[in-house]
Amino acid sequence: MKKQKSRFTKKKATELLRLLFEESPESQYNVKDIFRLLDAKTHPAKMIVMDCLSELVFDDVLACDGHGNYRIAARKQIMEGTFRRNQRGHNAFLPDDGGKSILVAERNSLHALDGDRVRVQMLARRKSYTREAQVVEVLQRAKDTFVGKLQIERDYAFLITESRTLAQDIFIPQRFLAGGKDGDIAVVKIMEWPRDAKSPVGKVVDILGRQGDNDAEMNAILAEFDLPYSYPARVVAAAQNIRDGVTPAEIACREDFRHVTTFTIDPHDAKDFDDAISLRRIDDDTYEVGVHIADVTFYVHEGDIIDKEAQSRATSIYLVDRTIPMLPERLCNELCSLRQDEEKLTFSAIFRMTAEGKVLSWHPARTVIRSNRRFTYEEVQWLLEKRGEASAEDLQHPAPLPSPDGRAAAEQYADELILLNKLAKCLRAQRFQRGAIGFDRPEVRFDVDEKGHPIGTYVKQAKDANKLVEEFMLLANRSVATHIGAPASNPPLDFPGQPLATPAKRTRKTFVYRIHDVPDPEKLLKLSGFISTWGYKVRTEGSKQDVSRSLNSLLENVKGKKEEGVVEMVVLRTMMKARYDVKNIGHYGLMFDYYTHFTSPIRRYPDMMVHRLLARYLDGGRSANPQKYEELCEHSSAQEQLAESAERASIKYKQVEFLADRLGQEFDGTVSGVTDFGLYVQIDENWCEGLVPLRDLADDYYEFDERNFCLIGRRSRKRYALGDKVRIRVERANIEKRQLDFSIIEK
């Protein structure tokens, strides 16, 4: 295509885009291809192209597949895809081809629920109206059980839900109440939804408890996301029958680390210790560091009843006040937990390192260990700070004083802890030198009373003790992935270790990788435009390392500034989600060519898969079935997202519960989100977040500027933007809906 010499305008860009796609109707182009073909080299020109692409997608001229690839939108009269419900009735159909979503009015929804796979028929388009479709068949329900509050009438009942997946409450005949009482929180399964009925018909399958009861509310959150809130008795019984496998015969088959200094470092309230670190001096400049991981797959065999339950769960779930484990307690807290002064079976990565953190060699091994001490992060952090080994940032915010016993133990192993901390800092420096991105965002946590009611908040920040453990776990994960995945003829130059086979015999074997894709170019451009408000810049093109170093520089430059939190948040939104896959593309955030999850088999099923595959290949086994593991990867990634959603919901519930005791009180806050229906504000003191509804900004008519994340008053030009400091009052706390409403007192 001929390059443009004249002024680059929106009209010209639209013409060029139409011409490009009309000349190659079968082709698709990503954003970088389009910039190159249209000769859009400057940031303003690229933003013009992005605007034109958005409008062409909105007008149904182009389609985008969600990975940044654009092509001509070829719409059929009958299509299949996903139904998305909106409580206001403006439902959407998302076609499988990745094109623009299509409006489905409630009257045309055929009782489809959020997430259902459906077949639709396009309706004739009226002039000046958006395109519409009607559902002609529900192909597959996304879910058929729902949680809510029972409202019982004389001869029947309804389940009142706050779920956006249902347009109507569920009708329950009296004979299907299962003893439920008015106001109970219940789980109900939809049995049928007749075409001419206003509400679906369901039956109660479980009573969780009374509304407001903490256990009932937490279980309701789990049920809402189709996550388990109890453990099957038959699985618990199977676990109880497992015997301890530490026998003389088994020890003889393993490398013995029982007499090497070894310890665990975990949160103070942890019960399942799935990783330990050992340290042994080889000579004046060489050390052996062992990363020892609970050998869960020694006890849990593929396909047995415990394995099937773990596979279904895929992950442990961490709510505000409880953990819902992936494995039965007999395994996660007893047999597999690397408890102090107990002999345990482990699967280990053994490293030989210099004092400067260079890995000279390593090997995986089945081992047996005996932990000398169970440390908490606080105990190790206290020692590092006392000895002046902690970072300057940590020294500004000292760790709380541990118990006398904890201080004495830390002093006893001071040399080992200090050396490991120095090695971890070397590993971390190497990682960032390669271009890893540094996200250390703090998290809000709650102090709760014996009934689970929140009585205070605190912020959890990763300190040097946390980073010590993190770096060695990253090293082990990377080592195992590289061992299996790196072609023998072309190993990573900075990574030692023997491949599993000679180059002539080497074939790439099926494996489970933890992958993280490069940022979406469109989101990078939006980020660049957004941060320019404060005078910052970020690279949107170049090598992976160039872009990551630019992002790191940005994160470093905003530290301590008022816009720090909001810039970090927008940078995070620019990143892709990490996931599991058998096809390796590397991990962008960590800047590793090969990465997996090996170090937490007690709480993650992919780690169990990795243990089994590694053992299989070390024994000379053939490559595993890739389709089977791809399906397991997809399931594990989906379950991980559900678990994270449940965790966020539990935090939100506790935020609402906490501020319900503080109605009418005023706080300083920061605008943390801007939407077309209002502002989200995070309170500086306790990190609770609530909404200032647009209707409560009554001093002007506000318009939403999506590109700059702000609301602008049409008359006054008053502006509310991400990062703005405001004074708010807590107006409403709806515990059922997990919603907080604030009003702005002053800006």
Side-chain angles (χ1 to χ4, degrees):
M1 179 173 291
K2 187 178 179 181
K3 297 184 177 180
Q4 288 294 295
K5 303 295 183 184
S6 58
R7 183 170 174 268
F8 200 82
T9 64
K10 194 170 182 178
K11 180 179 179 181
K12 196 67 180 174
T14 301
E15 291 174 357
L16 290 171
L17 284 168
R18 286 181 177 272
L19 182 61
L20 170 66
F21 285 97
E22 286 169 2
E23 287 179 347
S24 306
E26 302 300 320
S27 301
Q28 66 176 19
Y29 303 96
N30 62 34
V31 173
K32 289 184 178 180
D33 292 335
I34 294 170
F35 290 160
R36 177 176 53 81
L37 292 167
L38 270 62
D39 199 25
K41 295 179 178 178
T42 66
H43 183 74
K46 291 175 181 176
M47 295 309 294
I48 288 173
V49 172
M50 294 304 304
D51 281 346
C52 295
L53 285 170
S54 296
E55 290 181 5
L56 289 171
V57 171
F58 182 81
D59 291 337
D60 224 11
V61 176
L62 299 181
C64 181
D65 65 0
H67 298 288
N69 299 310
Y70 291 86
R71 55 180 173 71
I72 288 286
R75 289 293 163 87
K76 302 174 183 176
Q77 194 64 25
I78 302 291
M79 290 186 289
E80 293 182 2
T82 306
F83 182 84
R84 289 297 178 198
R85 177 166 291 286
N86 182 296
Q87 285 185 330
R88 291 175 288 183
H90 300 291
N91 308 312
F93 167 74
L94 306 180
D96 287 341
D97 66 8
K100 177 193 167 189
S101 63
I102 302 166
L103 175 67
V104 180
E106 186 59 39
R107 64 181 180 277
N108 296 323
S109 68
L110 198 66
H111 302 323
L113 306 178
D114 190 64
D116 286 354
R117 277 198 53 75
V118 297
R119 181 176 290 122
V120 303
Q121 176 179 313
M122 300 299 297
L123 299 178
R125 189 170 188 173
R126 293 179 292 171
K127 189 175 182 181
S128 301
Y129 283 80
T130 187
R131 293 200 73 175
E132 289 192 48
Q134 68 175 5
V135 178
V136 294
E137 184 180 358
V138 175
L139 301 173
Q140 183 179 356
R141 290 286 189 196
K143 60 182 294 185
D144 60 0
T145 58
F146 297 87
V147 64
K149 182 178 68 174
L150 290 178
Q151 179 180 301
I152 299 181
E153 304 296 337
R154 187 169 185 176
D155 299 318
Y156 57 88
F158 282 98
L159 184 79
I160 313 300
T161 74
E162 299 298 340
S163 172
R164 67 187 180 93
T165 62
L166 277 174
Q168 306 292 337
D169 299 323
I170 302 174
F171 175 78
I172 307 169
Q174 189 178 45
R175 67 183 184 279
F176 292 141
L177 271 174
K181 297 180 176 60
D182 192 62
D184 280 351
I185 299 177
V187 180
V188 170
K189 179 182 177 68
I190 293 179
M191 299 186 296
E192 61 174 336
W193 196 340
R195 184 181 291 263
D196 57 350
K198 184 177 180 181
S199 297
V201 179
K203 66 176 181 180
V204 174
V205 295
D206 201 2
I207 304 294
L208 302 181
R210 300 296 294 174
Q211 186 176 21
D213 174 76
N214 185 65
D215 287 342
E217 296 290 356
M218 292 299 104
N219 287 339
I221 288 172
L222 294 167
E224 176 185 339
F225 292 99
D226 287 332
L227 294 169
Y229 48 87
S230 61
Y231 228 98
R234 65 187 188 282
V235 181
V236 174
Q240 290 299 327
N241 291 328
I242 299 176
R243 294 183 178 181
D244 193 335
V246 185
T247 63
E250 185 59 33
I251 290 173
C253 301
R254 294 172 176 255
E255 290 189 30
D256 194 342
F257 280 78
R258 289 177 295 171
H259 303 294
V260 181
T261 301
T262 305
F263 35 74
T264 60
I265 308 174
D266 291 280
H268 67 89
D269 56 351
K271 295 179 181 178
D272 54 342
F273 313 124
D274 55 7
D275 58 78
I277 301 174
S278 68
L279 181 65
R280 175 161 50 187
R281 182 174 178 173
I282 305 300
D283 56 42
D284 288 344
D285 190 55
T286 312
Y287 301 89
E288 179 193 77
V289 178
V291 179
H292 306 285
I293 309 303
D295 196 353
V296 174
T297 55
F298 175 84
Y299 295 102
V300 181
H301 303 132
E302 188 169 10
D304 70 18
I305 187 172
I306 300 173
D307 182 63
K308 288 178 180 177
E309 182 68 22
Q311 184 185 117
S312 174
R313 293 172 178 243
T315 180
S316 294
I317 306 160
Y318 298 89
L319 303 187
V320 167
D321 65 339
R322 68 194 62 203
T323 298
I324 294 83
M326 181 182 75
L327 295 170
E329 185 175 343
R330 166 72 172 154
L331 286 163
C332 65
N333 291 354
E334 297 177 23
L335 288 179
C336 296
S337 187
L338 309 183
R339 301 191 296 195
Q340 181 178 323
D341 297 326
E342 295 182 10
E343 294 180 347
K344 296 291 181 180
L345 303 179
T346 46
F347 209 160
S348 307
I350 314 300
F351 300 92
R352 186 162 290 205
M353 305 175 68
T354 68
E356 292 74 36
K358 181 180 179 181
V359 178
L360 301 174
S361 63
W362 86 281
H363 70 278
R366 282 272 176 53
T367 55
V368 58
I369 69 165
R370 183 183 181 92
S371 174
N372 298 88
R373 176 71 191 186
R374 177 268 202 265
F375 281 114
T376 67
Y377 286 124
E378 292 79 8
E379 291 166 350
V380 176
Q381 186 65 28
W382 169 82
L383 175 79
L384 297 177
E385 291 174 6
K386 182 188 176 189
R387 296 294 186 92
E389 298 291 340
S391 65
E393 186 178 0
D394 284 0
L395 291 172
Q396 290 179 354
H397 304 91
L401 191 67
S403 67
D405 178 61
R407 297 198 297 272
E411 292 282 13
Q412 181 184 354
Y413 293 99
D415 291 344
E416 290 88 347
L417 292 170
I418 289 171
L419 177 58
L420 286 170
N421 184 55
K422 288 179 178 177
L423 292 173
K425 285 182 181 292
C426 292
L427 292 171
R428 187 173 175 85
Q430 294 166 18
R431 188 160 58 86
F432 279 96
Q433 191 174 4
R434 285 193 298 268
I437 300 174
F439 283 115
D440 289 320
R441 283 183 64 80
E443 302 171 357
V444 64
R445 292 291 185 265
F446 289 88
D447 291 317
V448 297
D449 62 20
E450 65 279 0
K451 294 183 178 179
H453 189 77
I455 54 178
T457 66
Y458 63 95
V459 175
K460 179 186 175 185
Q461 184 87 47
K463 292 178 174 284
D464 280 354
N466 305 77
K467 295 171 185 176
L468 183 162
V469 176
E470 177 188 35
E471 288 304 325
F472 285 107
M473 297 307 117
L474 292 175
L475 179 63
N477 287 333
R478 182 191 180 208
S479 304
V480 170
T482 307
H483 199 57
I484 304 297
S489 57
N490 186 29
L493 295 178
D494 65 335
F495 204 82
Q498 293 298 315
L500 291 179
T502 61
K505 297 180 180 179
R506 176 75 176 187
T507 56
R508 198 178 298 274
K509 295 179 182 291
T510 299
F511 201 58
V512 173
Y513 298 97
R514 179 70 169 177
I515 63 171
H516 184 222
D517 209 345
V518 297
D520 185 331
E522 295 183 39
K523 291 183 178 179
L524 273 177
L525 281 168
K526 290 181 179 179
L527 169 66
S528 178
F530 174 64
I531 62 175
S532 65
T533 306
W534 291 287
Y536 299 116
K537 293 182 179 179
V538 69
R539 293 196 62 159
T540 59
E541 292 183 333
S543 69
K544 292 194 300 184
Q545 287 81 3
D546 289 339
V547 175
S548 67
R549 290 191 180 107
S550 178
L551 289 170
N552 271 334
S553 177
L554 170 64
L555 293 171
E556 188 62 34
N557 290 335
V558 299
K559 278 190 175 178
K561 310 284 180 62
K562 75 177 184 68
E563 63 270 16
E564 177 183 2
V566 68
V567 170
E568 283 188 346
M569 186 193 313
V570 177
V571 172
L572 268 174
R573 291 174 181 172
T574 304
M575 297 292 107
M576 303 293 279
K577 285 275 189 185
R579 56 189 173 86
Y580 299 103
D581 207 306
V582 296
K583 295 181 284 294
N584 179 54
I585 61 170
H587 196 292
Y588 178 77
L590 297 171
M591 206 52 67
F592 289 160
D593 291 330
Y594 299 89
Y595 189 65
T596 190
H597 274 171
F598 167 78
T599 54
S600 293
I602 286 178
R603 62 185 180 90
R604 294 186 305 223
Y605 193 77
D607 300 58
M608 290 175 61
M609 291 193 280
V610 166
H611 280 219
R612 286 175 178 144
L613 290 172
L614 177 61
R616 175 186 182 128
Y617 300 149
L618 289 173
D619 291 340
R622 298 173 60 185
S623 183
N625 183 339
Q627 183 177 351
K628 168 189 170 181
Y629 279 91
E630 178 62 26
E631 291 173 358
L632 289 172
C633 284
E634 290 179 3
H635 172 72
S636 297
S637 298
Q639 289 298 107
E640 177 186 40
Q641 294 301 312
L642 286 175
E644 289 178 0
S645 297
E647 179 183 358
R648 287 193 297 269
S650 77
I651 291 171
K652 188 63 184 179
Y653 180 86
K654 292 302 176 187
Q655 288 182 351
V656 177
E657 199 176 12
F658 181 70
L659 287 185
D661 299 334
R662 292 158 178 81
L663 294 179
Q665 292 186 20
E666 297 179 8
F667 298 92
D668 291 327
T670 304
V671 175
S672 56
V674 183
T675 72
D676 57 355
F677 52 83
L679 303 168
Y680 284 99
V681 176
Q682 180 176 279
I683 296 175
D684 297 337
E685 176 184 322
N686 52 45
W687 284 45
C688 294
E689 187 182 59
L691 176 70
V692 179
L694 194 62
R695 65 177 180 273
D696 289 349
L697 296 174
D699 60 328
D700 202 343
Y701 180 84
Y702 285 88
E703 296 176 330
F704 178 44
D705 182 348
E706 185 176 8
R707 176 180 295 176
N708 295 302
F709 300 94
C710 65
L711 293 175
I712 302 173
R714 181 182 289 178
R715 174 181 50 80
S716 64
R717 308 308 295 169
K718 189 174 181 179
R719 175 187 173 100
Y720 289 100
L722 276 175
D724 280 356
K725 296 294 183 180
V726 292
R727 182 80 175 168
I728 62 95
R729 180 190 296 125
V730 181
E731 299 290 355
R732 292 172 291 276
N734 188 323
I735 293 179
E736 289 183 45
K737 294 185 177 182
R738 299 196 286 274
Q739 290 179 356
L740 285 169
D741 281 355
F742 299 159
S743 63
I744 289 181
I745 307 303
E746 58 180 304
K747 182 170 186 273

